[in-house]
Amino acid sequence: MAVSQPFGFACTGGLNKNLNELEILKIPGAARDLINYEVDIDGGYRRINGFLPFGYPTHTRPDGENKILGLTQYLDCVIACVNDGIYITQDGVTWTQINREFVHTGGHITDNLTLAEWNAGGTAASGSGSAPITVRTNQGQCSFVFIESTGHIIILDGVNAPYYFVLGGTIGDPLANRTFHGHTLADSSSERVGAATGVIYRTQFITHAGNTVYIAAIDDPEDLTATSAGSISLDQNIVAIKTFRDEVFIFCNNSIYRLINVGVADSQAVVPVTQNVGCISAYSIQEIGGDLVFLSPDGIRTLAATARIGDVELSSVSRAIQPIIVNIAKNINEYNISSEVLRAKSQYRLFYSKDSEEREDSKGIIGTFTGKGFEWSETIGIQAPALASDFDELGVEKSYHGDNKGYIYCHDVGASFSEGSITEIFSIPSTYDTPNFDFGDLGTRKTPYSVKVSVTPEGFMQPTLHVIYDYGDVNVAQPDPYLLSPASSPSVFGISQFGAGSFGGAANPMILQPIQGSGHTLNFKITTNDTAAPFAINGLYIDYYPSGRR
């Protein structure tokens, strides 16, 4: 009689769409599909959180059913760009339009209006003035430049001139007790109309429109004429400008440059970093793990500093999900691209969706920065043409996203998806699909006895296990899916509420499931489609009997 054989592995390596069926066996913990999971920095694959409307349950939309074009946290508020307007809120319930053109004889930045004066477009306390709405005609996808030294913010949309806004008063006070100021950065010859992204380098505002970089004067984002200001034109259109390690980098579609000697009028210049690699979306660029990450035509790449002064290194970090990246790059002009970094999870998230797509068809990728580099997974069902993640005024990391229907959500919270309405709560579908294991010998038939699934529940969980033999061959008997035994997070004495949990449970239980059938290869797929709490899959242990060879 054959002796049972053990086979076990830890869930590590993340999604791999690039290796063939045999090569992926060298990474048994990798996944052929990893949908709505994230690679946990503490190990395993964790089903992702959901999202809830910002301001739930009395939340409102800034401007009806129009797509959210940009989001950012600003002081103790959230700013949203929608249609032809810009709006601010503290609570997701009451929105104030801020794209007004403040005109006052006392100057631009020093004069402010109260909320009542601002909304009325009326008179400043310090004298006569007005603040009529300035329409952001055909406003495009927006980016934001926060000036830390002053607390001011500049909003760019790739179509109109940059917009400068100041919220005064004490952080934490209601907007009714704050002051407002805003105006367009209008140049005498409208050079910066169409500016898409920008940065503050030391104390100078740098942006770009078309193929030209514009450098404002020291401490004055209005002034392009001072000796410290200037402009430089390249031979191709600029995609984005970013600061990194006290340097300014200029991203084009097929090249990257460094801006040097900023503020020194006679020697400001650009020098090439590479003429072979570029960036295809300004909204993909983020800093994580000490590197800049961006979407290039051939993958997700990093721009990293080296030990040599002034030197950088360019590396591809998305080889495991290359087919997904190829699809994004091929259809880049049809997709709305947004990205963020969740610092507490060491994650880079990028979402892509079309205007014509529904929420349930919208997709994204999650890259967790681990000790072995980036490990990836996919999302389906999160529509996020606009995304923001940062620390609030209390130092708490918050994340938001907006959708095509004008709703704004608290991102990465809860256990369900939503579509804005209080009643529109949806299950989170998730799939973890292992390689087709041959257990080191493709020629031997295996009869598995049982599988143990190591999990870390955060509440009640009961996933479904699918066992598939011989690559899903229709001529091989395939067992019905198994609904695994339920598991729950354990109650902790002194912390948990009496009667609300289960004492004596394990933090990382092993769920045992006897299984039927036999085959030369064995594949496991674990799925859920519910609004239960997230959980992590840590690994699998299989007990099987080898039998005849064919």
Side-chain angles (χ1 to χ4, degrees):
M1 180 178 178
V3 178
S4 67
Q5 300 291 319
F7 181 81
F9 61 90
C11 292
T12 182
L15 177 64
N16 196 303
K17 291 284 191 181
N18 200 50
L19 296 178
N20 62 41
E21 291 287 355
L22 297 181
E23 284 291 327
I24 199 172
L25 294 177
K26 297 177 182 177
I27 318 172
R32 299 191 311 151
D33 277 316
L34 198 57
I35 298 171
N36 288 336
Y37 281 90
E38 59 192 6
V39 178
D40 197 319
I41 54 175
D42 295 323
Y45 301 147
R46 181 184 180 273
R47 206 220 60 199
I48 62 172
N49 295 326
F51 52 86
L52 290 172
F54 177 38
Y56 178 89
T58 57
H59 55 283
T60 61
R61 291 180 281 194
D63 187 19
E65 297 183 0
N66 294 300
K67 180 175 74 174
I68 306 299
L69 300 170
L71 278 176
T72 190
Q73 292 184 63
Y74 173 54
L75 304 178
D76 56 339
C77 300
V78 171
I79 289 178
C81 300
V82 193
N83 196 17
D84 57 10
I86 307 171
Y87 301 83
I88 192 168
T89 185
Q90 288 178 308
D91 55 14
V93 178
T94 303
W95 294 88
T96 297
Q97 190 167 4
I98 62 174
N99 53 303
R100 293 181 176 274
E101 195 67 34
F102 180 63
V103 180
H104 190 274
T105 55
H108 274 311
I109 298 174
T110 57
D111 298 313
N112 302 288
L113 297 174
T114 66
L115 178 61
E117 293 170 335
W118 183 260
N119 286 334
T123 303
S126 56
S128 62
S130 63
I133 290 175
T134 176
V135 176
R136 307 282 290 172
T137 304
N138 297 321
Q139 184 169 226
Q141 189 169 358
C142 296
S143 64
F144 306 86
V145 179
F146 180 66
I147 308 174
E148 289 193 37
S149 60
T150 61
H152 303 172
I153 193 168
I154 301 173
I155 302 165
L156 310 99
D157 69 2
V159 177
N160 299 280
Y163 183 74
Y164 193 100
F165 179 72
V166 182
L167 179 65
T170 303
I171 292 177
D173 281 359
L175 293 184
N177 297 339
R178 310 283 279 275
T179 59
F180 295 74
H181 171 91
H183 67 275
T184 302
L185 293 183
D187 310 313
S188 58
S189 55
S190 301
E191 295 104 324
R192 291 183 291 192
V193 170
T197 70
V199 298
I200 296 295
Y201 179 69
R202 296 174 183 171
T203 61
Q204 291 182 262
F205 174 51
I206 305 173
T207 188
H208 63 94
N211 66 336
T212 304
V213 178
Y214 296 99
I215 307 165
I218 295 173
D219 294 322
D220 189 354
E222 303 269 2
D223 190 356
L224 293 178
T225 62
T227 56
S228 59
S231 64
I232 302 173
S233 294
L234 279 66
D235 59 1
Q236 54 188 302
N237 282 343
I238 299 167
V239 174
I241 291 180
K242 289 289 180 181
T243 54
F244 177 62
R245 301 287 180 89
D246 199 37
E247 292 187 290
V248 180
F249 289 90
I250 304 168
F251 291 84
C252 301
N253 275 313
N254 297 300
S255 58
I256 302 173
Y257 297 87
R258 183 189 289 113
L259 181 62
I260 61 173
N261 301 326
V262 177
V264 184
D266 294 336
S267 58
Q268 291 180 140
V270 294
V271 295
V273 174
T274 175
Q275 300 285 348
N276 300 313
V277 175
C279 175
I280 57 176
S281 173
Y283 309 100
S284 69
I285 306 175
Q286 299 289 341
E287 184 172 350
I288 181 173
D291 300 335
L292 276 186
V293 180
F294 61 95
L295 178 61
S296 72
D298 61 350
I300 302 289
R301 286 186 169 270
T302 61
L303 188 152
T306 69
R308 292 186 294 176
I309 296 175
D311 188 33
V312 295
E313 178 183 37
L314 294 164
S315 302
S316 177
V317 296
S318 61
R319 190 65 183 169
I321 55 169
Q322 194 64 16
I324 298 174
I325 300 301
V326 168
N327 170 65
I328 297 174
K330 182 180 178 180
N331 300 285
I332 191 66
N333 293 326
E334 300 178 33
Y335 286 132
N336 300 306
I337 302 292
S338 64
S339 65
E340 68 174 353
V341 170
L342 296 184
R343 296 160 183 81
K345 295 184 174 184
S346 294
Q347 281 182 5
Y348 169 76
R349 294 189 170 194
L350 182 145
F351 295 95
Y352 57 102
S353 62
K354 300 178 181 179
D355 286 341
S356 59
E357 285 181 335
E358 296 298 323
R359 176 201 58 80
E360 57 267 26
D361 300 318
S362 301
K363 297 181 179 180
I365 54 176
I366 299 176
T368 301
F369 188 67
T370 72
K372 296 175 286 187
F374 281 93
E375 296 185 8
W376 298 94
S377 60
E378 279 190 281
T379 68
I380 295 179
I382 302 177
Q383 187 180 75
L387 198 61
S389 179
D390 209 338
F391 294 99
D392 66 12
E393 74 280 8
L394 300 176
V396 178
E397 186 176 21
K398 296 286 186 66
S399 181
Y400 304 90
H401 77 261
D403 67 10
N404 289 349
K405 297 181 179 180
Y407 286 106
I408 296 171
Y409 305 90
C410 294
H411 184 76
D412 195 43
V413 297
S416 63
F417 289 162
S418 173
E419 283 193 3
S421 169
I422 295 175
T423 59
E424 290 184 299
I425 301 299
F426 299 92
S427 298
I428 301 178
S430 68
T431 300
Y432 163 46
D433 193 7
T434 72
N436 288 280
F437 298 114
D438 63 12
F439 304 103
D441 186 353
L442 186 59
T444 300
R445 176 173 292 276
K446 297 91 181 172
T447 303
Y449 171 71
S450 66
V451 59
K452 293 180 180 179
V453 183
S454 172
V455 298
T456 303
E458 298 177 23
F460 177 85
M461 60 167 289
Q462 191 172 22
T464 298
L465 174 68
H466 306 255
V467 180
I468 302 169
Y469 295 101
D470 293 348
Y471 306 100
D473 189 339
V474 295
N475 297 311
V476 175
Q478 307 290 349
D480 292 333
Y482 302 96
L483 184 63
L484 296 179
S485 299
S488 298
S489 55
S491 297
V492 179
F493 184 78
I495 298 177
S496 301
Q497 182 179 355
F498 183 77
S502 175
F503 287 91
N508 301 288
M510 297 283 286
I511 302 175
L512 173 64
Q513 178 61 55
I515 53 179
Q516 299 171 313
S518 66
H520 293 87
T521 66
L522 186 58
N523 162 259
F524 299 95
K525 184 182 295 184
I526 298 175
T527 63
T528 62
N529 191 10
D530 54 36
T531 58
F535 61 90
I537 304 174
N538 303 316
L540 276 71
Y541 176 88
I542 302 102
D543 195 8
Y544 73 97
Y545 293 88
S547 53
R549 176 180 294 277
R550 292 184 180 179

